Amino acid sequence: KPRKLKSVKQPGYFAGWETVKLVGPKGEIPSARLIHPSRPHTQVEVTRTDAIALGIKAPLKKSGDIAGSAPITLIGPAGSLELKEGCIVAWRHIHMHPSEAKPYGLKHNDFVRVKAGDGTGREVIFENVWVRVMPFYSLEFHLDTDEANAAGLLNANFIEIIEKQPIADLYNSFPEEFITPGFSEVS
């Protein structure tokens, strides 16, 4: 049974005390923290830098879209699990409740351009940021540490949504959203 270390911003989810070792052909990450509750399929999200260190070709994918993703081995206190697929570099995205998206004129699966890093000396414009709008989400920008470090960002820094972007053909396929525990409605 997972043991709660701390809540995360998205309602119903939490970081557990549990960690696993991630093992690839060229290296390992000794302590990857688990997020609970579990999803229908095991998914591992790494940065591009992590993928290089592990020696895997983790594709850039939207969370939940693991088809054709990289294999990886997880080792924990009860044994190991070899995934034939499941390791991705997660697509940067913004979680929003419908009431938070409305003032921006945004809806689920839109894309936006975001300015981040004001005052850091490393300001960056992020293109093609995926907007995820669901009644069980709370406003939060998700990007990996490679991207955050490029912009000099820390947790809780502000970003600016500059504009809505058209969806390119390359980005028109989306995974289903996972229903957060405690919520039964997806709109």
Side-chain angles (χ1 to χ4, degrees):
K1 183 176 178 181
R3 298 172 298 137
K4 184 177 181 177
L5 172 64
K6 65 179 181 176
S7 293
V8 295
K9 178 97 187 223
Q10 297 312 304
Y13 287 90
F14 62 92
W17 281 98
E18 300 78 22
T19 62
V20 294
K21 182 189 297 185
L22 304 179
V23 180
K26 291 187 177 179
E28 61 185 47
I29 296 173
S31 297
R33 183 137 336 262
L34 299 181
I35 300 294
H36 301 283
S38 59
R39 292 181 172 182
H41 302 285
T42 301
Q43 173 178 292
V44 177
E45 294 181 3
V46 297
T47 66
R48 184 71 66 212
T49 300
D50 293 336
I52 292 166
L54 290 165
I56 60 175
K57 293 182 180 177
L60 177 64
K61 292 213 171 232
K62 295 171 187 76
S63 185
D65 181 10
I66 60 169
S69 60
I72 193 162
T73 300
L74 288 68
I75 300 175
S80 65
L81 174 64
E82 290 186 34
L83 299 178
K84 294 192 185 319
E85 62 182 10
C87 188
I88 66 169
V89 173
W91 195 284
R92 58 183 163 254
H93 58 276
I94 300 175
H95 289 272
M96 292 182 171
H97 184 275
S99 65
E100 295 163 330
K102 189 175 182 176
Y104 295 100
L106 297 172
K107 64 185 184 322
H108 186 61
N109 287 336
D110 279 343
F111 282 87
V112 293
R113 180 176 286 125
V114 169
K115 182 179 179 188
D118 272 350
T120 66
R122 298 186 60 113
E123 293 81 3
V124 172
I125 304 293
F126 290 107
E127 301 281 343
N128 302 311
V129 177
W130 180 29
V131 176
R132 301 175 73 181
V133 180
M134 290 286 156
F136 45 82
Y137 283 158
S138 177
L139 186 61
E140 187 174 39
F141 182 37
H142 283 191
L143 68 169
D144 67 34
T145 54
D146 286 352
E147 294 170 311
N149 288 338
L153 291 176
L154 301 172
N155 280 337
N157 283 152
F158 287 97
I159 62 160
E160 177 185 352
I161 296 173
I162 299 172
E163 64 184 341
K164 186 174 173 180
Q165 293 182 281
I167 298 174
D169 288 340
L170 176 65
Y171 314 129
N172 65 7
S173 175
F174 302 95
E176 293 297 317
E177 293 297 320
F178 298 109
I179 298 175
T180 301
F183 291 90
S184 59
E185 176 184 309
V186 176
S187 61

